[in-house]
Amino acid sequence: MSLYMGPWPFGLFFGMTAPTLQETIHLDEAGLVQALQRGDEAVFSAVMDWYAGSLLRLAMAYVPSRAVAEEVVQETWMGVLEGLGRFEGRSSFKTWLFRILTNRAKTRGTRERRYEPLGLAGQDSDGEEGPSLEDSLFVTEGSGKGHWIDPPQGWEPDTPERALLSKECRTAIEEAIQGLPGNQRQVITLRDVEGASSEEICNILDISETNQRVLLHRARTKVRHVLEPYVRGGNM
Amino acid sequence: MDRNFKQQLMAYMAGNFTCKEIAGLVTDYLEGSLTVPKRLRFQMHLGLCFACRNYLSQMKYTVTTLRQLPSEPIPPQIKSELLRRFQAWKKGQSS
Ligand SMILES: [Zn+2]
């Protein structure tokens, strides 16, 4: 995917397209569920491998440690085995799987006093107080009101592959995500890190699309801010 | 071009979106959830404002970077334990 936006960017934004699980194991959704229900170990193993990372990351957005997150993931798969026989495909397998995880993770998170309920207290539930990070980037008074205080520069290099070569930068991003309020962390993990669709996310987290975008926007704004020193001024 | 004129033209073309408003709409734009007129006004502003253009590409860069974080592998002992449970589950199903 090219990151270049020409002077008249009328083009659409194209998401990255990676092969899906279905393409990888050559089964459609119904075939996948049937294979699991008949006890096909190879498919179970492939499905576990496929979702392991996403489940672990999402669990870490609810519970305070990796060890607990791993337990939550394990409990999730046990939940899959419990419910598999009755699974009727009213939601997609992926949504069902992730909802099992969020339910277990919430229970664990509440016990570990980390979970912050999503959407219940409205948009302030993420503990955002006072002017946002984004507000601080703009002139607030006078004729320049609404203009950039420090106009954004182009980032070098043009593709992020190289930025990720820096371990320091990767750690900074991981820490930035971990430092986000729980609901923002859950949304950005699913949407950007794991590439779930916004429809899937609304189903998994039980939030509205609007709320999801607000949380995503705040989360991205913060991660962009953290990323900036690594891609600006050749600090790599 | 006269700077004042350019600014006025820009404000007109951009439907008076300020840079701050553009920044606030970046995610809605990238997620494809702006209405058509709003998207056009957004793009008009972008066409005339390099700072916002840079900001948009920084946001896209951020998203792409996030997408490239290495995935967390499942610890092998958990995986083998789960496979064992799956086998047990299968036995329980068929009996
Ligand atoms: Zn602008």
Side-chain angles (χ1 to χ4, degrees), chain B residues 39-71:
Chain B
R39 194 171 74 227
L40 287 173
R41 282 168 68 200
F42 185 97
Q43 288 169 329
M44 289 282 193
H45 182 109
L46 243 57
L48 294 159
C49 178
F50 77 95
C52 286
R53 214 149 61 224
N54 283 339
Y55 191 70
L56 176 70
S57 74
Q58 289 181 6
M59 279 299 225
K60 291 170 101 177
Y61 188 114
T62 304
V63 173
T64 313
T65 306
L66 283 164
R67 194 72 190 89
Q68 287 171 7
L69 287 176
S71 85

Side-chain angles (χ1 to χ4, degrees), chain B:
Chain B
M1 203 181 341
D2 174 38
R3 188 153 175 264
N4 205 19
F5 174 72
K6 197 179 163 190
Q7 266 178 359
Q8 278 176 15
L9 179 71
M10 177 171 158
Y12 173 73
M13 296 279 283
N16 291 321
F17 267 153
T18 63
C19 296
K20 187 178 174 188
E21 285 169 318
I22 291 292
L25 290 171
V26 158
T27 302
D28 287 349
Y29 176 73
L30 291 176
E31 295 288 289
S33 60
L34 288 181
T35 59
V36 173
K38 257 195 175 175
R39 194 171 74 227
L40 287 173
R41 282 168 68 200
F42 185 97
Q43 288 169 329
M44 289 282 193
H45 182 109
L46 243 57
L48 294 159
C49 178
F50 77 95
C52 286
R53 214 149 61 224
N54 283 339
Y55 191 70
L56 176 70
S57 74
Q58 289 181 6
M59 279 299 225
K60 291 170 101 177
Y61 188 114
T62 304
V63 173
T64 313
T65 306
L66 283 164
R67 194 72 190 89
Q68 287 171 7
L69 287 176
S71 85
E72 299 278 350
I74 188 167
Q77 70 279 13
I78 292 186
K79 197 183 166 188
S80 51
E81 166 67 15
L82 285 166
L83 277 173
R84 216 178 46 70
R85 297 224 182 214
F86 186 68
Q87 287 157 356
W89 172 83
K90 186 181 170 182
K91 276 201 194 101
Q93 290 292 102
S94 54
S95 64

Side-chain angles (χ1 to χ4, degrees), chain A residues 25-224:
Chain A
I25 57 175
H26 306 292
L27 286 173
D28 62 12
E29 171 88 14
L32 184 156
V33 172
Q34 280 162 14
L36 291 178
Q37 286 174 336
R38 331 182 265 279
D40 188 323
E41 259 174 71
V43 170
F44 185 68
S45 174
V47 171
M48 270 204 295
D49 284 339
W50 187 267
Y51 289 119
S54 311
L55 291 172
L56 196 53
R57 274 194 186 277
L58 183 59
M60 283 162 73
Y62 287 87
V63 299
S65 74
R66 195 194 160 97
V68 178
E70 285 177 2
E71 283 173 36
V72 169
V73 171
Q74 196 163 358
E75 286 170 21
T76 300
W77 289 109
M78 317 264 273
V80 168
L81 294 183
E82 276 164 37
L84 194 54
R86 282 168 285 140
F87 181 74
E88 288 168 344
R90 250 178 270 128
S91 64
S92 74
F93 176 78
K94 182 180 177 183
T95 300
W96 180 64
L97 172 66
F98 278 75
R99 284 190 70 112
I100 297 176
L101 180 105
T102 55
N103 285 328
R104 313 250 155 172
K106 275 182 214 170
T107 312
R108 279 308 288 267
T110 313
R111 213 185 302 159
E112 318 274 344
R113 290 165 177 276
R114 173 74 177 269
Y115 167 63
E116 295 143 71
L118 252 173
L120 293 178
Q123 287 164 10
D124 293 332
S125 66
D126 60 1
E128 200 103 33
E129 280 156 20
S132 71
L133 171 64
E134 192 175 287
D135 291 342
S136 70
L137 302 173
F138 296 93
V139 180
T140 51
E141 276 167 272
S143 60
K145 193 173 176 218
H147 285 275
W148 296 97
I149 292 170
D150 181 14
Q153 308 292 308
W155 277 359
E156 295 295 333
D158 233 9
T159 53
E161 285 82 0
R162 272 183 52 207
L164 275 187
L165 289 180
S166 147
K167 190 163 178 261
E168 204 190 339
C169 170
R170 204 162 64 204
T171 309
I173 297 172
E174 297 271 9
E175 280 172 6
I177 296 173
Q178 281 299 309
L180 293 170
N183 46 13
Q184 291 180 26
R185 198 161 63 235
Q186 289 146 24
V187 170
I188 201 170
T189 298
L190 283 167
R191 183 77 185 107
D192 291 342
V193 183
E194 302 301 339
S197 75
S198 61
E199 196 194 345
E200 282 170 337
I201 297 166
C202 293
N203 287 330
I204 292 166
L205 301 179
D206 247 329
I207 53 175
S208 72
E209 278 203 33
T210 310
N211 194 7
Q212 191 235 163
R213 277 198 308 276
V214 169
L215 294 169
L216 183 63
H217 184 71
R218 288 184 185 164
R220 280 182 181 173
T221 303
K222 286 174 199 159
V223 175
R224 187 212 69 89

